[in-house]
Every structure is written in C-alpha cells, then in structure tokens.
Amino acid sequence: METKHITIIGAGPAGLSAAIYAARAGLSTLVLGCAPKIAGDYDIDNYFGFPETITGKELVERGRAQAERFGADIRCDRVLGIHLDEEMRYTVKTESGEVKTCAVILATGVSRVRPGVENLGDYEGKGVSYCVSCDGFFVRGKKVVVVGEGIFAANQALELTNYTSDITIITQGKKPEMSENFLKQLADASIPVLEKKAVRLEGENGLERVVLDNDETIDAEGLFVAIGEASSSDFAYSLGIERNGVFLVADEKKATNIPGVFAAGDCRGGFLQISVAVGEGAVAAKSAISYVKKECPNMKTG
Ligand code: FAD
C-alpha cells in the first residue's frame, strides 16, 4: 500500500493551500479531490492580490500548479472512507485504491445533500444511520436498505455484508453512478440496486418499513444514508470527529478532537469564502506538519 505523510481530502482552495505548505515543508503530500464547485466561469472579485477579476477556474488552476511545483501529488479521486489502525495510522480508501497516512486534512467543502425522505429525522438512532462502521453491528442479520446512487453507497452496502446478507440499495430515482467493478461486486453479493425513491419511513418503536413513491413498501430495520460522495460529515461519523450540524469542529490550530485529523475551509463552517479557506488550509498544514514530525518521524513513504 502507498504511504504518505499527509493526505489532504479536497482539491479546493483550502486543500490546495494546505498542500502548498505541506509539500514545501518537504513532506510527502497527497491531495485527493476533483475540481471544486468554484472552478468554473465564476468571477472572483474579492480575493487578495487580483485587482482584475479572475475566474474561479483560473484561481484554482494556479493554486494547483503552485502545489504541484513543490511536489504535491494531486489526484482526481473520491474518498469512500477513512479508518484508524492499531498503530494510530490512517487508511484512506478511495474509488481506486488505499493509502496509508500519518495525518489527514479534511478540506471537503460543505455538502448539504439530503435524501428527501420526509420523516427521516424521526428514525435517526432508531434504524436510520449515516455510518456503517459505527452502526452496522446493530443490524446483524436484519433487512437493511442503503439510500444513495454512487460508489459511496455501493461501498457502504458492501461493508454491510459483514453484518447481514439482506441489503437493498435505493437510488432515490437516479441512475446508478457506479463503476462496472462495483456493480459486479454488488451482483456477486446479491444486492439489488433499485432506481426508486424512498419517501417515508414507518415503524412503531423503530424502523420497520420504507415506503417508496409508488406506495410499494420494503421491510427494513436499518436504513443507511449514503447519497452522492462521502462528505466531511460521513468521515466525522466513522472517526468520531465532533460536529456542529453539518460542520466539523476544530480548534484555532484546525485540529479536530481526533489526533492527526485536521479540518479547514467550508467544511468547518463560519465565513464561507476563498480567502478564509486558503488561510485555514495554511494553518491546518502547519499543525499537520508538526504532528507528523512528532508522531511519524521515521515513516517510510512511497
Ligand atoms: P471547496 O472549494 O468546496 O472544495 C471541496 C473539495 O473537496 C473539492 O475538490 C471536492 O471535489 C472535494 N471533495 C469533497 N468530498 C470528497 C470526497 N469524498 N473525496 C475526495 N474529494 C472530495 N468565495 C469568495 O471568496 N468569493 C467569491 O466570489 C465566491 N463565489 C462563489 C461562487 C459560487 C458559484 C460558489 C459555489 C462559491 C463561491 N464562493 C466564493 C465560496 C467559495 O467557493 C468557497 O468558500 C471555497 O471554495 C471553499 O473552499 P474549500 O476548499 O473549503 O471547499
């Protein structure tokens, strides 16, 4: 498995700024993330040092080139999950492989994707979960559904096979966006992928049924939400990072409550602006660099 000192999740202003500092400090630095939302034809008028309007696309391309100049390895790949091992090192699982790392900087921006199930909140903690590694144990041998259309949902469903064999994926009416490889793994595990929409949940003391938009029902005692790609909240659930709603809580050094995990930019909330994200990325990198030097001084990377 590849090993890196610092893995940054997110290639937006926060992640790229962190990468400039981490790589320039001589640490092996991996950035996982594709073009951020701002990398389009949006006019940026309020970023320091650009008296003429610059597009979001150009600003991000410049940041990326700058990070690469110092040796950062930037890949358009999506992170599916992060796990901590006994040696206090993190394994970052992506759509294309796994990386071992000493420190993680979360710079995933903010995601407000909701599944659109009307009474989902009533069943949180009573069958509805956002984290298979946290709650899979509670659905041992039970019927469960995973709500989501992408590889993140597929991966969550496959992780659930450690606990139960009765798993259904509901895509909320969307076309599945899963690679052939994941579709094959789902087929091998007999996990159907239904292009239907869950609209309501039912059950007396906990989840018993999922009602679909055609009034069909699916018996289920567990429902795992995995819409779109994994967000900072999903990583927070699985690692135990303190949250404030959809945002991660981090101190002034951008350290979360989990050693070796730092957070910067929009995923931390506050004033959601490029200048703030860039500043926070720099602070998170400085903290991550100190952490790596103290905790992983002899880590062999490559
Ligand atoms: P983002 O830029 O959102 O980047 C998040 C990164 O995380 C992306 O690379 C994404 O691919 C990656 N990611 C997420 N999940 C995963 C995963 N599971 N695996 C791998 N990668 C993942 N701010 C200003 O200051 N001035 C403006 O004029 C301005 N205009 C804006 C216009 C628009 C249309 C939008 C949408 C925003 C605008 N903003 C503006 C806000 C600004 O874009 C954000 O504050 C800033 O981009 C936040 O940076 P970030 O790095 O924290 O997150």
Side-chain angles (χ1 to χ4, degrees), residues 10-14 32-34 36 38 46 77 79 107-109 230 265-266 272-274:
L32 298 167
C34 302
I38 192 68
N46 55 1
D77 198 354
V79 175
T108 49
D266 281 10
L272 307 185
Q273 289 285 283
I274 296 167

Side-chain angles (χ1 to χ4, degrees), residues 4-45:
K4 301 281 179 184
H5 288 126
I6 298 181
T7 299
I8 298 164
I9 306 174
L16 293 173
S17 166
I20 291 167
Y21 281 81
R24 202 159 175 268
L27 298 188
S28 79
T29 304
L30 175 64
V31 181
L32 298 167
C34 302
K37 284 187 213 110
I38 192 68
D41 285 328
Y42 304 115
D43 288 345
I44 311 296
D45 258 348

Side-chain angles (χ1 to χ4, degrees), residues 49-117:
F50 291 89
E52 312 296 334
T53 299
I54 184 168
T55 65
K57 185 166 185 279
E58 192 185 345
L59 188 63
V60 169
E61 275 169 5
R62 281 170 171 255
R64 186 188 164 102
Q66 195 175 357
E68 281 176 337
R69 186 181 133 214
F70 296 117
D73 179 358
I74 305 174
R75 300 178 197 166
C76 178
D77 198 354
R78 290 193 176 76
V79 175
L80 301 171
I82 309 170
H83 299 283
L84 182 61
D85 67 19
E86 323 70 56
E87 297 166 332
M88 294 296 287
R89 303 287 173 263
Y90 293 93
T91 301
V92 178
K93 181 173 183 194
T94 75
E95 288 183 7
S96 60
E98 288 189 338
V99 182
K100 196 186 255 298
T101 192
C102 181
V104 175
I105 297 176
L106 295 172
T108 49
V110 68
S111 160
R112 294 194 182 83
V113 187
R114 300 243 166 249
V117 180

Side-chain angles (χ1 to χ4, degrees), residues 143-250:
K143 286 176 187 287
V144 296
V145 301
V146 174
V147 175
E149 78 294 2
I151 290 181
F152 176 44
N155 190 61
Q156 291 288 90
L158 292 167
E159 232 182 282
L160 274 165
T161 58
N162 293 320
Y163 308 101
T164 180
S165 57
D166 198 330
I167 305 159
T168 302
I169 295 179
I170 301 175
T171 67
Q172 292 308 73
K174 294 191 182 147
K175 280 246 159 299
E177 288 177 21
M178 299 165 188
S179 60
E180 284 303 315
N181 172 27
F182 272 94
L183 285 170
K184 182 172 181 316
Q185 289 183 63
L186 293 174
D188 290 347
S190 305
I191 299 174
V193 180
L194 307 183
E195 277 181 51
K196 294 185 176 166
K197 201 162 190 284
V199 290
R200 203 173 59 253
L201 308 181
E202 290 180 351
E204 286 298 311
N205 298 314
L207 180 65
E208 292 170 20
R209 282 172 304 282
V210 178
V211 183
L212 305 180
D213 54 354
N214 58 358
D215 281 338
E216 221 181 291
T217 59
I218 295 184
D219 288 340
E221 290 180 68
L223 181 147
F224 290 82
V225 180
I227 302 272
E229 65 183 333
S231 69
S232 53
S233 301
D234 297 305
F235 305 135
Y237 285 120
S238 60
L239 292 172
I241 301 169
E242 197 184 331
R243 289 178 308 126
N244 179 6
V246 294
F247 298 115
L248 303 180
V249 174

